[in-house]
C-alpha cells in the first residue's frame, strides 16, 4: 500500500487548497517582543508576550527562563517608571511591540526570601520534583521527551534508503502480550545532576528581634559537593556567607578568603562552590532537554496520577519538613483563606467587555482549583481521623467538620432525609447530583444568584462533601436563614419575592417550569426550583442556593418500569433516578425543531390557501408585498423561536403535595415524554453512532463520556448491552463487551469501597491485594488467603467464587442485566491488564508497575538443588543468602500488600467554563466545516488565546485547542507549526488526563503522522509503538480503531523498505477489520487490495495474486463491474498475474542455467573413456537449455506486454505509488469514511 498516506484519527478534516502563509497571516495575533535590560551589565534578553498578558506574567517568564532564573525579587520599569504587576502589558502608556524594559532588583522581604529559596530548591530538584502536597505518587507525569529520545532526528527522504534501517519495530513481536513493567518507558530521567549535598534552614532561625531591625530575614546552612559546610544569612539586600558555626552564632559577613555575597543565592553559591557552578550549568541543560510544558506546574486543573508506577527512591532532604514554613510563613497565615468570600468576590467582578470577562474567568478558574486542592487534603484528613467533628456525640455518619475554612460532611443519610428514597444509596447519589446542579447553575451565571464552592471526594470507601461556608450559617438557626423552598421538608415552604425573581432568570435558561407546591397547612406557593432546594440569605447579604440535587426531573419511565423487583431482579437500591441536563437540552432542541417545522408548514399552507383564493394580483407589487412573498417562499425564516415555550417541572412525579390541575397534568406529560425520548430515541441513536464509528470508545471512561454527552445515565448500561447483542451487528460487538466490562468494573469499585469503609489504614493494602487476587489471581492461586486474615475483617472472607457472585448480584441490582455464565472469569483470564487498569483507575489504586504472575505456569522456576556447602562463617552466611534468594522467587499469590503503593482520592468538582472561549472554538470548527478556512483559523487562534488566558497552558480544554490547530496546520502543509501544537497537545493530555488516557493515546498517534510527514519516520515509529503498547494495556487486541494504527505503522515501515514487518501489520489490520465488519464487508476488499501491493513489494507475487483476486471478487460482488475500484482491482490482478508468470519463468530459466553450468563443470572432469555416458548427459543438458531458452522468450514477451516483474525495486515502488488515471484514491481515505460509504451502499 505504498500509495497510501497514514489515516487520520481525528474527525476534523479541512480542505488543503489555500496557501498556508495567507492563513497564518490572517490568524496571527500581534505579539510584543520585549527586550529586558538586565542589571549589573548582565546583558539583554528578549521575551515574547501578548499585549493581554499582565506584567506579573512577563515577570514569571523571566523567572522561568534559564538565562535569568537567578533573579526572583525584581520589578520591571519602563522609561524609569516601575510597572504595576497587575496591569496588562498593552495598557502601559507609550509601550510598543519592540520596547525595552529594565529589570530593577528589589529589596527582599521575608516572603520574597522564602520564594527565592523555594525557587532554588525547585530548580535543583529538576522536572520531577517531589511534591510533598501531592495526594499520590508521580503527579502530572509526561513521557514525551523519554519516548522521543533527547537527540532530534534530522528529516530524511525515505526513498534514499537502500536497505531497511533499524527501527523500534525491527524485532517487534505482534503476538506478544503487553508488559506492565514497560508501562514507564525505559530511560526516564528522574534524578537531576546534583549541585549541592543539602540546603537547609539553620538551627539559628528565626533571627532575634534586634537583628531583624538590621535586615536579617533567615539563616541557611549549605553543604557543598566539596564537603564544606557554609552558613548563609539572608538579608533585605541579598545573601552573604556569615561567621556562624554549629556552636557559635555570628551572622555578620565573613571577611576572609571565603567571604562572598550577592543579591541572588544562586550566584552566591557559584562563588562559594566551583562544583556548584559547573553542575548548575549541566542541570540547566538537563532541564532544557524537556519541553517547557513538561516542567511547568499544573495549577488550574487536577493533575493526573498514573495507576501503575515505578516510584523513585526516597531521598534525604533536611528542608523538606520545613516546606510549610517556606510556603506559608511562620504562622501559616498565607494558607488560611476565606474561600467563600474569594469565590463570591470573583463572581462579582465586572464582565461588561471581553477583557473583563476573560480576567474574571481566569480568577474563577484559579480560585476553584485552589479550593479543590485544599478540599481534597481536608477530606483526606477527615477520613483519616485528623479533624475533630463539630458534633462528636452524634453517629459517625452524621458528623460535620470545619477545617481550613471549609465545611465537610459525609455522603450518608445521617438525618434520614432520604429514608423513603433509598437511604444511604440515595444520599450517595444526591451528593453527585448536587455537584452537577452547582456546575449547571455556574454555567448559567445569573447575576445576584450564588452557589457554594463544592467538591466531592471519595477516599477509603467514604464519600466526603466539601463546601465553602455561608457567612453567618453557624450564628443563626438554619430555619431563619432559609427564605426559599422547603424549610423542614414539609410543614413550611417559603418563596422570597426577590429570590423568586432572580431564579426566574436562571429557570428560563434551564427550561424549568414555575409550579405550585403546598405546605403542611395546604397553602400553595409558587417555586421555580425543586421543593427540596433551599435558598439562604447569608450574613453578607448574598442569596445562596443549596441542595441542588433535584435540578432536573425524575426519569419516570425508569421508576415505573425498572425499579420494582420483578422477573428475578431485586428492587433497585434507590428512587433518586433523575435525568441528566444534557438530555433535557437535547429534548428541548428536538421539540424546538419539530415546532419550527410545524409552524413553517402552517405558514406555507396559509400562503397556498391565500394564493388559491385569488388574493394575489398580477399588477406591480409594493416592497412590503414582495417582502411578504419572500417570507412565504422561506416559511422557516418567518418563525420566531422566542415564541416556543417548553419547560420542565422538576417536582413532577416526586410526591410533592400540590393541587391537581390541568397545568400539573400537562407538566407531568412533558416530563414523561422526555423520559420516553431517552429510552426510545437517544439510546438507539447512540447505538447507531457506535455502529457507524462516529464515536468509538476504547475504555470504560470513554464509554462513560460518550453516554453522558448524549444525556444517557450509566444505569442504562445493561439496556445498551442488551440492545447491542440483539442487533447482531459485528460493529457493536466491542460496545457489548465494553458495556459488560464497565458494569463489572463499577460493581468491583462498589465492593472495594464497602470493604475499605472503616478499615484501619494498615489493613488497606492487604484488603486491596486480596480482592485483586480473588478477581485476577485465581489461576495462580485458586484459594488466596489475606495476609492479615486473622484480624477478622470482612474482606478476608472473599474467595474467587464469592467475589464473582457478589459482582453478578451487583450488576443485576444496579444495571438490571444478567451477565453471561462465566463472563467474569473469562474477562479476568483474557483481559487481565485492561481489567486491572480499569479497577485501579476507578478505585483510586496505585500499584507497582511490574510483571505480575497471573498463571501458575508463568511462575519463575524454583531451584530444587541444594547448593554446595561452603566452610566458615562467610560460607554459612552465603548459604543463607542463597536459600533466601531462592525462597524469594515464590509468591504466594499474584498480588501482595507491598504491591499496593497508595490509595488516591477520587475527586469531582464543579469546574467553571469560559463561555467566550468555548463559543470561539465551536464557531471556528463550524466555519471550517462550511469551508471558510481563513475565518475558522482566526476563530480557533482567538479561542486558543482565550483558553490559555482563562485556563492556563496545562488544562484539558487547552489541549483540545492545541490538537485542533495542529490538525489544521498539518493539512495546510505547515508541518513545523503543526508539530509544535501537537507536542503541546500530547504533554497537556498526559499531565492532566493521564499518560495512558485515550486522549493522550490519540494525540501520540497524530504526532506520529506529523513526524512522518516531516521526514522523521524513525521518531514517528517511536510514538506509534508507545501508543500501540498503551492501546493493548487499555483494551487489549482487536479494537476496531486499532486497525488504523496498524495500517499507519505498515505504511511507514513500507516507506523505509521494511516490507516483512509492513506485511505483518497490514495482515493484523485486516484481521481486526474482519472481526469488526465481517468477511464480506467492502472494507475487507480494500484490505486485500492493500495487502496485494504490500506482498508485491515484498516479492511474494503468488500471495499478492491471491489477495488481489479476493479484492476483485468482493468489489465485483459489492460494487459492480462499473465501479472504479473494481476496474482498478481488475487491472492490478492482470498485472500481478503477468508478473507472477514472468517471475516463475525467470526462476525456471535460472534453475536450468544452474543445472547446465553444473553439468559443464562435471563434464570437464569426465574421462575420455566414458563417451556413452557423456553423450547421454549432453542430450539431457541440451533439452534443459532448450527449455531455458523458451522461458527467456516467454519472459521477454511478457515484459513487452506490460508486466513489471523485470523492474528494479525502486522502479516497482514508483509504479505502485503512482495511481492510474481515473483512480478514486480510495486507499487514501480514512477508515471511518470508507465505513460510512460502505454502509450507505
Amino acid at each position: 500500500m505504498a500509495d497510501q498516506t497514514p489515516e487520520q484519527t481525528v474527525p476534523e478534516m479541512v480542505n488543503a487548497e489555500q496557501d498556508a502563509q495567507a492563513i497564518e497571516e490572517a490568524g496571527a495575533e500581534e505579539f510584543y517582543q520585549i527586550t529586558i535590560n538586565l542589571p549589573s551589565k548582565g546583558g539583554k534578553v528578549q521575551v515574547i508576550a501578548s499585549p493581554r498578558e499582565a506584567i506579573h506574567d512577563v515577570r514569571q517568564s523571566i523567572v522561568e527562563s534559564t538565562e535569568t532564573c537567578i533573579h526572583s525579587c525584581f520589578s520591571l520599569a519602563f522609561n524609569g517608571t516601575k510597572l504595576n504587576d497587575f496591569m496588562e502589558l498593552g495598557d502601559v502608556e507609550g509601550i510598543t511591540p519592540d520596547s525595552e524594559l529594565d529589570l530593577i532588583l528589589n529589596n527582599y522581604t521575608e516572603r520574597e526570601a522564602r520564594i527565592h529559596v523555594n525557587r532554588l530548591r525547585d530548580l535543583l530538584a529538576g522536572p520531577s520534583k517531589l511534591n510533598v502536597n501531592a495526594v499520590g505518587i508521580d503527579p502530572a507525569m509526561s513521557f514525551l521527551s523519554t519516548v522521543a529520545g533527547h537527540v532530534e532526528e534530522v528529516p530524511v527522504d525515505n526513498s534514499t534508503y537502500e536497505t531497511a534501517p533499524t527501527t523500534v519495530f525491527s524485532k517487534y513481536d505482534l503476538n506478544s502480550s503487553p508488559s506492565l513493567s514497560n508501562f514507564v518507558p525505559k530511560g526516564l530521567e528522574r534524578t537531576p545532576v546534583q549541585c549541592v549535598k543539602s540546603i537547609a534552614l539553620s538551627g539559628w532561625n528565626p533571627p532575634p528581634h534586634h537583628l531583624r531591625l538590621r535586615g536579617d530575614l533567615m539563616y541557611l546552612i549549605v553543604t557543598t559537593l566539596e564537603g564544606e559546610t557554609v552558613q548563609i544569612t539572608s538579608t533585605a539586600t541579598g545573601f552573604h556567607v556569615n561567621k556562624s558555626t554549629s556552636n557559635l552564632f555570628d551572622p555578620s559577613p565573613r571577611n576572609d578568603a571565603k567571604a562572598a555575597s550577592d543579591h541572588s543565592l544562586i550566584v552566591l553559591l557559584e562563588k562559594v562552590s566551583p562544583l556548584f557552578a559547573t553542575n548548575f550549568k549541566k542541570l540547566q541543560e538537563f532541564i532544557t532537554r524537556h519541553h517547557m510544558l513538561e516542567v511547568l506546574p499544573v495549577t488550574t486543573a487536577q493533575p493526573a496520577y498514573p495507576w501503575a508506577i515505578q516510584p523513585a527512591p526516597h531521598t534525604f532532604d533536611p528542608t523538606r519538613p520545613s516546606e510549610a514554613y517556606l510556603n506559608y510563613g511562620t504562622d501559616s497565615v498565607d494558607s488560611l483563606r476565606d474561600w467563600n468570600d474569594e469565590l463570591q468576590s470573583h463572581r462579582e467582578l465586572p464582565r461588561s467587555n471581553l477583557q473583563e470577562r476573560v480576567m474574571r474567568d481566569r480568577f474563577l478558574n484559579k480560585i476553584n482549583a485552589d479550593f479543590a486542592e485544599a478540599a481534597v487534603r481536608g477530606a483526606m484528613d477527615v477520613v483519616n481521623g485528623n479533624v475533630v467533628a463539630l458534633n462528636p456525640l452524634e453517629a459517625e455518619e452524621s458528623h460535620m467538620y470545619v477545617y481550613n475554612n471549609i465545611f465537610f460532611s459525609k455522603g450518608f443519610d445521617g438525618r434520614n432525609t432520604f429514608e423513603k428514597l433509598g437511604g444511604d444509596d440515595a444520599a450517595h447519589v444526591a451528593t453527585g447530583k448536587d455537584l452537577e446542579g452547582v456546575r449547571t447553575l455556574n454555567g448559567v451565571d445569573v447575576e445576584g444568584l450564588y452557589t457554594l464552592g463544592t467538591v466531592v471526594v471519595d477516599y477509603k470507601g467514604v464519600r466526603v462533601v466539601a463546601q465553602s461556608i455561608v457567612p453567618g450559617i453557624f450564628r443563626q438557626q438554619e430555619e431563619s436563614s432559609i427564605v426559599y423552598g422547603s424549610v423542614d421538608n414539609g410543614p413550611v415552604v417559603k418563596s422570597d419575592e426577590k429570590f423568586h425573581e432572580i431564579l426566574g432568570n436562571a429557570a428560563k435558561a434551564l427550561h424549568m417550569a414555575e409550579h405550585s407546591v403546598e405546605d403542611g397547612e395546604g397553602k400553595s406557593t409558587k417555586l421555580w426550583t425543586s421543593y427540596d432546594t433551599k435558598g439562604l440569605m447569608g450574613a453578607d447579604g448574598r442569596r445562596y442556593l443549596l441542595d441542588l440535587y433535584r435540578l432536573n426531573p425524575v426519569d419516570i419511565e425508569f421508576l415505573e418500569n425498572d425499579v420494582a423487583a420483578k422477573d428475578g431482579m431485586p428492587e433497585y437500591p434507590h428512587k433518586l433516578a433523575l435525568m441528566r441536563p444534557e438530555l433535557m437540552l437535547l429534548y428541548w432542541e428536538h421539540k424546538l425543531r419539530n415546532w419550527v417545522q410545524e409552524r413553517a408548514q402552517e405558514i406555507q399552507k396559509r400562503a397556498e390557501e391565500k394564493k388559491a383564493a385569488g388574493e394575489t394580483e398580477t399588477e406591480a407589487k409594493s416592497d412590503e408585498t414582495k417582502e411578504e412573498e419572500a417570507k412565504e417562499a422561506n416559511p422557516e425564516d418567518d418563525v420566531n423561536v422566542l415564541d416556543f415555550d417548553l419547560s420542565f417541572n422538576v417536582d413532577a412525579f416526586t410526591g410533592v403535595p400540590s393541587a391537581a390541575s390541568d397545568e400539573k397534568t400537562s407538566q407531568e406529560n412533558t416530563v414523561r415524554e422526555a423520559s420516553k425520548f431517552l429510552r426510545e430515541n437517544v439510546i438507539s441513536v447512540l447505538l447507531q453512532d457506535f455502529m457507524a464509528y462516529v464515536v468509538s470508545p476504547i475504555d470504560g471512561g470513554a464509554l462513560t463520556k460518550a453516554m453522558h454527552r448524549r444525556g444517557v445515565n450509566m444505569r442504562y448500561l445493561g439496556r445498551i448491552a442488551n440492545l447491542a447483542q440483539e442487533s447482531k451487528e459485528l460493529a457493536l460487538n466491542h460496545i457489548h463487551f465494553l458495556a459488560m466490562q464497565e458494569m463489572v468494573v463499577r460493581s468491583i469499585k462498589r465492593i472495594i469501597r464497602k470493604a475499605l469503609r472503616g478499615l484501619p489504614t494498615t489493613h488497606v493494602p492487604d484488603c486491596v491485594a486480596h480482592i485483586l487476587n480473588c478477581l485476577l489471581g485465581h489461576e495462580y492461586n485458586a484459594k488466596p488467603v489475606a495476609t492479615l486474615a486473622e484480624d477478622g475483617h470482612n474482606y478476608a472472607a472473599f474467595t474467587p467464587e464469592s467475589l464473582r457472585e457478589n459482582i453478578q448480584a451487583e450488576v443485576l441490582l444496579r444495571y438490571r442485566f444478567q451477565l453471561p455464565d462465566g463472563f467474569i472469569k473469562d474477562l479476568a483470564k483474557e483481559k487481565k491488564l485492561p481489567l486491572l487498569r480499569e479497577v485501579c483507575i476507578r478505585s483510586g489504586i496505585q500499584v507497582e508497575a511490574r510483571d505480575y504472575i497471573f498463571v501458575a505456569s508463568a511462575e519463575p522456576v524454583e531451584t530444587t538443588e541444594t547448593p554446595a556447602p561452603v566452610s566458615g562463617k562467610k560460607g554459612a552466611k552465603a548459604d543463607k543468602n542463597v536459600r533466601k534468594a531462592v525462597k524469594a522467587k515464590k509468591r504466594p499469590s499474584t498480588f501482595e500488600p507491598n504491591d499496593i503503593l497508595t490509595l488516591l482520592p477520587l475527586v469531582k468538582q464543579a469546574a467553571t467554563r469560559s463561555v467566550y472561549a468555548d463559543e470561539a472554538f465551536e464557531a471556528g470548527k463550524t466555519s471550517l466545516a462550511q469551508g471558510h478556512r481563513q475565518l475558522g483559523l482566526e476563530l480557533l487562534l482567538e479561542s486558543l488565546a482565550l483558553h490559555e488566558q482563562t485556563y492556563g497552558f496545562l488544562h484539558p480544554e487547552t489541549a483540545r485547542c492545541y490538537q485542533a490547530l495542529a490538525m489544521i496546520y498539518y493539512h495546510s502543509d505547515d508541518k513545523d507549526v503543526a508539530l509544535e501544537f501537537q507536542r503541546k497537545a500530547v504533554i497537556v493530555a498526559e499531565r492532566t488526563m493521564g499518560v495512558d488516557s485515550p486522549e493522550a493515546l490519540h494525540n501520540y498517534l497524530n504526532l506520529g503522522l506529523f513526524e512522518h510527514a516531516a521526514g522523521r519516520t524513525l521518531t514517528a515509529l517511536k510514538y506509534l509503538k508507545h501508543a500501540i503498547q498503551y492501546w493493548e494495556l487499555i483494551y487489549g487486541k482487536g479494537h476496531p480503531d486499532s486497525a488504523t494504527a496498524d495500517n499507519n505503522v505498515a505504511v511507514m515501515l513500507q516507506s523505509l523498505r521494511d516490507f516483512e514487518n509492513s506485511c505483518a501489520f497490514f495482515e493484523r489490520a485486516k484481521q481486526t477489520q474482519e472481526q469488526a465488519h465481517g468477511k464480506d464487508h467492502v472494507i475487507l476488499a480494500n484490505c486485500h487490495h492493500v495487502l496485494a501491493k504490500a506482498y508485491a513489494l515484498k516479492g511474494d507475487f503468488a500471495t499478492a495474486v491471491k489477495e488481489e483476486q479476493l479484492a476483485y471478487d468482493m468489489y465485483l460482488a459489492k460494487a459492480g463491474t462499473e465501479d472504479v475500484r473494481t476496474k482498478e482491482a481488475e487491472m492490478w490482478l492482470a498485472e500481478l498475474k503477468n508478473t507472477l508468470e514472468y517471475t516463475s519463468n525467470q526462476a525456471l530459466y535460472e534453475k536450468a542455467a544452474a543445472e547446465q553450468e553444473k553439468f559443464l563443470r562435471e563434464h570437464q572432469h569426465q574421462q575420455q573413456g566414458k563417451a556413452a555416458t557423456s553423450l547421454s548427459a549432453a542430450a539431457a543438458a541440451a533439452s534443459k537449455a532448450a527449455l531455458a531458452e523458451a522461458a527467456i522468450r516467454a519472459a521477454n514477451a511478457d515484459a513487452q506486454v506490460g508486466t513489471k516483474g523485470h523492474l528494479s525495486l525502486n522502479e516497482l515502488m514508483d509504479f505502485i505509488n503512482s495511481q492510474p488515471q481515473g483512480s478514486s484514491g480510495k486507499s487514501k481515505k480514512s477508515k471511518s469514511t470508507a465505513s460510512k460509504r460502505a454502509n450507505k451502499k
Side-chain angles (χ1 to χ4, degrees), residues 125-128 150 189-193 281-290:
S128 302
H150 297 295
E189 296 178 325
R190 288 178 176 269
T191 307
V193 180
K281 291 180 180 179
K282 295 179 181 178
L283 174 64
Q284 288 181 301
E285 293 173 358
F286 172 75
I287 294 175
T288 53
R289 287 204 299 266
H290 296 78

Side-chain angles (χ1 to χ4, degrees), residues 1183-1201:
S1183 64
K1184 291 181 180 180
L1187 183 59
E1189 185 178 357
I1192 294 173
R1193 286 198 300 270
N1196 291 334
D1198 284 344
Q1200 292 174 0
V1201 298

Side-chain angles (χ1 to χ4, degrees), residues 181 315 431 797 1059 1187 1200:
S181 61
T315 56
T431 57
F1059 303 122
L1187 183 59
Q1200 292 174 0

Side-chain angles (χ1 to χ4, degrees), residues 69-88:
C69 63
I70 61 174
H71 302 296
S72 69
C73 183
F74 61 89
S75 297
L76 295 177
F78 180 61
N79 293 336
T81 304
K82 284 189 177 182
L83 303 178
N84 189 316
D85 280 353
F86 295 95
M87 70 185 303
E88 291 189 357

